[in-house]
Each structure stands twice: as C-alpha cells, then as structure tokens.
Amino acid sequence: MTAPATPGPMQLPDTWNATAAGYAELAVGQFARYAEEALRLVPPEKAQRVLDVGAGPGTLTLLAAPRVAEVTAIDFAPGMLEQLALRAIREGIRDVEAMVMDAQSLELPDQGFDAVFCMFVLMFVPDRPRALAEMRRVLRPGGRAVVATWGRIERRPFMQVGFDAMAEAFPEMPPPPKGDLQEPADCERELGEAGFADVVAHVVSAAVTIESPEHYLALLTRSGAPLVALRRRLGEEVWAAAERRLLEALRARLPACPVDLAAEALLTVGTRPPE
C-alpha cells in the first residue's frame, strides 16, 4: 500500500492562518476583480443561498452577501474566517455563516445551495475530483458552480515577476507547483467528469498596479503564503538578509514603476443537471 503524501506547506491551515491578516489587507483588492466577474457570470438572485468554498477573508462572500438571502463561507483556516468576520462587521454585512471545513468533505446537506463558488482553491486541494464532486452534491438540480483557476505562468506577469525573483533570491527553495487547471479544455473536461453539464471556461484577465519594487515586496512577504511560511522557517535574523536579496531581485525586474501587471484566470461554469 502506498503511504499518503505528506501535505505541503500550502496545504496546511497554519500557513494560511499566519498569512490571514496580510492577505485580508493587501490581496482582497486584487482578487475582487475576479470575484465580481464570477458573480456576473452566475448572478445569484435575492432569495437564493450561496456557498463560497475556500472563502479566505471573504473576497467573494462579502460581495455576494448583499445580493442574496444567505452566504455560507467555508475555509480550512480559522484565521481566514476570523478576518472575514472582522470585515463583515466593519462593512455592516449580515446573513453570512462562516464555518471551518475541508473542501473535500463538505459537512453540508445535499442540494442545499443555488450557486457554489470556488475561487483559486483547487491548486491547494489534494483530491480535486473529490472536492468537485462535493460541490456538485450540495448544489440543487439546475444550480450552477463557478470554479476559478489560474492560466499558465507566462500569461500571469503579475505572478511571474515574483516567482522569478524568489528563484534568484532563494535558489535552494523548491519551485512553486505548476498550479491547477491551466487550460480551458482541461477545466471543461474535469468539471464534466465530476458530473457538471453545460461546462464553459471563460478567460478573464485583470491587472494590478505596482507602485514600486518595495510595494511588490510587501505584497509578497505579507500576503504571499509561500514566503510567510519560509520566513517562519528561516527565523528573523536569516530572513532579514534574504529579504534584501529578494528586493534587489525585484528591482532588477521592475526598473520602471508604477507598472500594471496582469494575471489571466479561467472561470469555469458548470450546471448540476436536473434529476
């Protein structure tokens, strides 16, 4: 029997707990553009119930909540849901139920939701088909799901700058994983295999304005889970020197700021067929 694979740092709640505050502060604005597009592709109605799988600090949840009857937000990292709750209080948003839960095993009733959204989560899920099957299970017949994944790295200059700079500054660091479903045909095939019908992948690109290499460094080190995990492992003394190397690598790649850097995403929509 093959032993189960050891989860990587990005598959551990503690990594995301440590990232939660910086992520909520710095990354929500970047991801809100994709969340708005997801809600445009599958616009939930006022009386409907929505599930946000891997909700993080509530990027999509808090955009959807004023438009629907209720949003259930699940995430495996309690720290992320704490940030969601704080943001909901600040924004005066109610009708959100947040629960710590694994996307691969949703402790939710069958056919309980009119729409399910899963934004940039599948790359961190060990058993992707199982998670997709769970999303289908909790949808009512005729309900729709939106699954967001990233395109290939060469179509994501916003992220490629950081990955290349990290490879230079930390040559001993393993390269980031390739990612999840990166081509429309792969997205459509995998959702189809999970039992969704009328599956269509939509290509969406949004840009982030980088004010300076220092601005990009703050995004990486405060909201980027890989570097948050690395910092904890190295310790502050070693990290200080490593951070200087990283800033120099970013300066070499961002000689003229401000600059807009885009990232291509795939928003794949599928429907649970009528029974």
Side-chain angles (χ1 to χ4, degrees):
M1 176 182 287
T2 303
T6 302
M10 302 294 286
Q11 296 174 326
L12 297 174
D14 282 352
T15 299
W16 295 97
N17 289 335
T19 311
Y23 192 97
E25 178 186 351
L26 298 173
V28 166
Q30 304 164 29
F31 290 97
R33 303 162 198 191
Y34 303 101
E36 285 283 12
E37 182 62 15
L39 291 168
R40 187 192 70 79
L41 289 170
V42 177
E45 299 174 4
K46 193 62 180 176
Q48 291 184 331
R49 297 187 67 222
V50 167
L51 175 64
D52 188 3
V53 177
T59 309
L60 184 138
T61 291
L62 299 184
L63 289 171
R67 313 177 193 187
V68 300
E70 183 181 51
V71 180
T72 297
I74 70 108
D75 201 287
F76 79 157
M80 285 290 185
L81 296 181
E82 289 170 8
Q83 292 299 318
L84 187 157
L86 290 171
R87 293 185 60 228
I89 291 169
R90 286 198 302 268
E91 298 176 25
I93 294 176
R94 301 179 181 179
D95 300 322
V96 172
E97 182 180 20
M99 294 185 285
V100 177
M101 200 176 296
D102 187 336
Q104 300 165 112
S105 183
L106 299 176
E107 299 170 22
L108 298 166
D110 293 355
Q111 303 184 17
F113 296 92
D114 300 285
V116 174
F117 296 86
C118 180
M119 304 297 290
F120 307 111
V121 173
L122 285 186
M123 70 185 79
F124 308 121
V125 175
D127 191 339
R128 206 161 60 215
R130 182 177 172 186
L132 289 170
E134 281 289 87
M135 292 180 217
R136 181 187 180 278
R137 177 183 65 79
V138 301
L139 267 176
R140 64 166 176 80
R144 292 194 290 171
V146 180
V147 176
T149 60
W150 293 115
R152 292 192 177 278
I153 188 62
E154 58 267 23
R155 300 198 290 268
R156 291 183 277 145
F158 171 67
M159 297 166 186
Q160 186 163 26
V161 166
F163 289 167
D164 290 348
M166 286 190 288
E168 178 180 330
F170 309 109
E172 73 286 357
M173 186 177 178
K178 177 181 70 67
D180 48 0
L181 303 169
Q182 297 186 327
E183 295 290 350
D186 294 332
C187 297
E188 293 170 357
R189 173 186 49 77
E190 196 148 324
L191 264 71
E193 290 173 351
F196 289 94
D198 303 321
V199 181
V200 179
H202 302 263
V203 178
V204 178
S205 186
V208 176
T209 300
I210 302 301
E211 302 294 342
S212 66
E214 290 77 11
H215 174 212
Y216 196 105
L217 179 68
L219 294 177
L220 280 181
T221 57
R222 294 192 57 211
S223 66
L227 284 184
V228 170
L230 181 64
R231 182 173 186 167
R232 296 172 73 194
R233 180 165 63 84
L234 292 178
E236 290 303 315
E237 184 175 347
V238 175
W239 172 257
E243 189 175 41
R244 288 193 292 271
R245 294 198 306 271
L246 181 56
L247 180 58
E248 288 306 311
L250 288 171
R251 285 172 173 161
R253 289 164 174 80
L254 298 169
C257 285
V259 62
D260 290 339
L261 297 178
E264 179 186 284
L266 304 173
L267 272 58
T268 306
V269 180
T271 302
R272 176 169 179 168
E275 297 183 347

